[in-house]
Amino acid sequence: AFEARREDFYGLEADYPPESVQARDMVRQWVTDHIRPQAGSWWLEGRFPTHLIEEMARLGVFGPTLPEVYGGSEASALTYGLMMQELERGDSGLRSFASVQSGLAMYAIYRYGSEEQKQTYLPRMAAGQVIGCFGLTEPDAGSDPGAMRTTARRSDRGFILQGAKRWITNGTLADVAVIWAKDEAGIVRGFIVPTDTPGFTAREIHTKASMRMSVTAELYMDQVEVSPDAILPAAEGLGAPLGCLTQARYGIAWGTVGAALDCLDTSVTYTKSRIAFGRPIAATQLVQERLADMLSEVVAMQLRARQLARLYETGRLRYPQVSLAKRDNARGALTVARMARELLGGNGISVDYPPMRHLANLETVDTYEGTYEVHTLILGRDLVGENAF
Ligand code: TGC
Ligand code: FAD
């Protein structure tokens, strides 16, 4: 009863449809069985469990909201969100893998691709047979992707891509990269680039002290020639990649709830059994204050995520609303993870327990998909109509 109470303190689950609860529980069980026991060591080794990709596909976490004809299950936004929550309860890197595959690479093809591109790629991506990555950020253009330098120029046989991308999740695992580049007129275009195309190289970044269970890479494109059917026909301008980001940011708003819940659970269990000064530390007022603060943060995060799902499902979602949830849920989860780490004392800094791993991962989550400052400025612009970037 205690566990159910802290998991759903405001009784949100009462109006979840049974299929959403079922999908959530299935992913949660799988993460408990297959990820949780090994997460600390994979994280330390800096390794993503690639042998589990096909099982993740069988769970239906790649492109679940897409139509069945493209390999999806026409899942609701709520179901998708709850799946992301459960993956990130395991590790942010696991959720990132699914976010990039679904919300970024598959969504780009689904939203901006031709019918032929959709049929060629989406069912195999949903099945985990084709892995995608999403190349928007560059060494000198992160928060301001409009400053990208990668170019696409027409050739006799299609397009020639030239440039570099940095910080690309799944970069060295990917079979196809969705690459954003400027054409001769300076308009941002999207391309589906098979990663074995001559001139394309991916190099893994090994120096991360965060998100270690996720593969991150630099991509180099030296005169990479792709066929005319590699271009995403409906993508024109920066709004196209930004539209994909909205999908992934929605998943982050939910995913971070999972990381925070794991930290809260761990803290409650730990403080009830850890004895200091002759009694469990959970019986002290200062520790209970901490736990209450963590719960309060978790509930605020859950309410934001839940309402975002409602807005999404009723076609009312505006991207600044997603910005608010991404910004504040990433920060909320960081706050909860930091408190959890403290409550575990010395054990709090070890990957034998999840809080430090979540805390380190969440530093990335706070930065990628738009930093705290970027989302603050999106909200400022939405409030006063002035662009302060
Ligand atoms: P701005 O004038 O704001 O926008 C250009 C056009 O795009 C539209 N737009 C959006 N549409 C949909 N969703 C959004 N989130 C949108 N944001 C903007 C906008 O309406 C406009 O359309 P139109 O028709 O008027 O032209 O362009 P700006 O150059 O001023 O952009 C500013 C800013 C800060 C909003 C934007 O560039 C930004 O969001 N920067 C942050 C970049 C970022 O988030 N990069 C993420 C890279 S991918 C990643 O991190 C993956 S992590 C792995 C994982 O997810 O797990
Ligand atoms: P910068 O843009 O250089 O920002 C540096 C600092 O300046 C930040 O604090 C920022 O908020 C602040 N700042 C910038 N502009 C302003 C302003 N106008 N006012 C106030 N402050 C400002 N990208 C992809 O395309 N695909 C991926 O798959 C991907 N995966 C990632 C995985 C990891 C592990 C990481 C760390 C990043 C990933 N990214 C990916 C990149 C990520 O989206 C960028 O790191 C992020 O958008 C920030 O860009 P930047 O690192 O260039 O920082």
Side-chain angles (χ1 to χ4, degrees):
F2 276 121
E3 194 187 333
R5 208 179 295 156
R6 65 177 180 263
E7 174 81 20
D8 186 26
F9 195 73
Y10 264 23
L12 295 174
E13 195 178 317
D15 72 350
Y16 287 179
E19 65 272 17
S20 299
V21 175
Q22 206 181 350
R24 179 200 64 187
D25 292 348
M26 190 176 64
V27 178
R28 186 172 184 177
Q29 191 59 52
W30 183 82
V31 167
T32 304
D33 295 343
H34 295 93
I35 301 297
R36 187 167 276 282
Q38 303 280 350
S41 41
W42 289 332
W43 194 90
L44 277 185
E45 288 164 26
R47 179 160 93 77
F48 182 80
T50 45
H51 62 288
L52 295 176
I53 293 173
E54 285 197 11
E55 281 191 38
M56 289 176 79
R58 278 198 289 277
L59 286 171
V61 300
F62 301 146
T65 56
L66 299 192
E68 282 177 17
V69 55
Y70 301 131
S73 55
E74 295 175 28
S76 66
L78 174 65
T79 302
Y80 173 58
L82 287 167
M83 286 173 155
M84 297 301 116
Q85 171 184 299
E86 295 312 320
L87 292 178
E88 195 148 357
R89 197 193 291 265
D91 191 272
S92 300
L94 194 65
R95 196 268 307 137
S96 247
F97 187 93
S99 285
V100 170
Q101 179 80 350
S102 308
L104 296 179
M106 291 177 74
Y107 182 81
I109 297 170
Y110 175 65
R111 176 77 177 73
Y112 306 111
S114 66
E115 189 52 42
E116 194 190 336
Q117 287 169 334
K118 291 184 213 184
Q119 284 178 14
T120 304
Y121 292 106
L122 295 178
R124 287 190 295 148
M125 292 176 86
Q129 292 156 359
V130 170
I131 304 304
C133 69
F134 184 88
L136 179 63
T137 306
E138 299 189 353
D140 296 316
S143 298
D144 181 14
M148 72 174 68
R149 292 194 195 150
T150 300
T151 54
R153 81 188 145 76
R154 274 188 187 278
S155 69
D156 297 341
R157 285 173 299 177
F159 297 91
I160 294 177
L161 302 178
Q162 180 72 34
K165 298 287 174 182
R166 184 164 165 80
W167 299 116
I168 306 306
T169 303
N170 298 348
T172 50
L173 301 176
D175 303 293
V176 288
V178 172
I179 296 293
W180 301 95
K182 282 185 179 168
D183 67 12
E184 288 95 338
I187 297 170
V188 173
R189 305 279 178 184
F191 298 86
I192 307 173
V193 183
T195 54
D196 58 2
T197 310
F200 185 102
T201 41
R203 192 181 304 152
E204 190 171 347
I205 299 171
H206 288 290
T207 49
K208 289 178 298 167
S210 167
M211 208 55 103
R212 290 189 53 77
M213 213 179 100
S214 172
V215 167
T216 317
E218 287 182 300
L219 309 180
Y220 301 95
M221 288 156 288
D222 184 14
Q223 301 288 311
V224 171
E225 186 157 52
V226 291
S227 62
D229 56 15
I231 192 166
L232 293 170
E236 185 181 340
L238 190 59
L242 293 179
C244 303
L245 299 188
T246 298
Q247 306 302 311
R249 290 167 180 172
Y250 172 84
I252 291 173
W254 276 97
T256 44
V257 174
L261 280 169
D262 192 38
C263 290
L264 177 60
D265 270 349
T266 306
S267 302
V268 169
T269 309
Y270 188 88
T271 57
K272 282 170 76 171
S273 63
R274 178 72 184 170
I275 309 292
F277 302 99
R279 59 179 175 168
I281 57 173
T284 66
Q285 292 184 354
L286 289 178
V287 168
Q288 289 191 9
E289 184 191 36
R290 272 299 153 83
L291 295 174
D293 287 348
M294 291 165 84
L295 176 66
S296 173
E297 197 66 67
V298 165
V299 169
M301 292 169 66
Q302 287 175 319
L303 289 170
R304 280 191 287 266
R306 177 67 186 107
Q307 180 60 12
L308 223 49
R310 285 203 188 91
L311 291 168
Y312 200 134
E313 286 168 8
T314 51
R316 292 179 294 151
L317 190 67
R318 294 190 312 116
Y319 74 78
Q321 294 168 327
V322 181
S323 283
L324 185 137
K326 190 280 173 183
R327 168 188 182 265
D328 291 351
N329 282 14
R331 266 301 144 96
L334 261 175
T335 303
V336 171
R338 182 174 303 285
M339 288 196 249
R341 196 222 65 69
E342 278 177 8
L343 286 176
L344 268 63
N347 282 326
I349 63 103
S350 163
V351 295
D352 289 339
Y353 295 85
M356 185 70 211
R357 181 168 49 81
H358 285 307
L359 178 59
N361 288 340
L362 288 161
E363 290 292 348
T364 286
V365 179
D366 193 56
T367 285
Y368 72 17
E369 287 288 357
T371 64
Y372 185 87
E373 292 75 21
V374 159
H375 291 296
T376 302
L377 296 175
I378 289 173
L379 292 171
R381 186 167 67 180
D382 198 56
L383 283 170
V384 301
E386 297 281 353
N387 191 346
F389 283 101

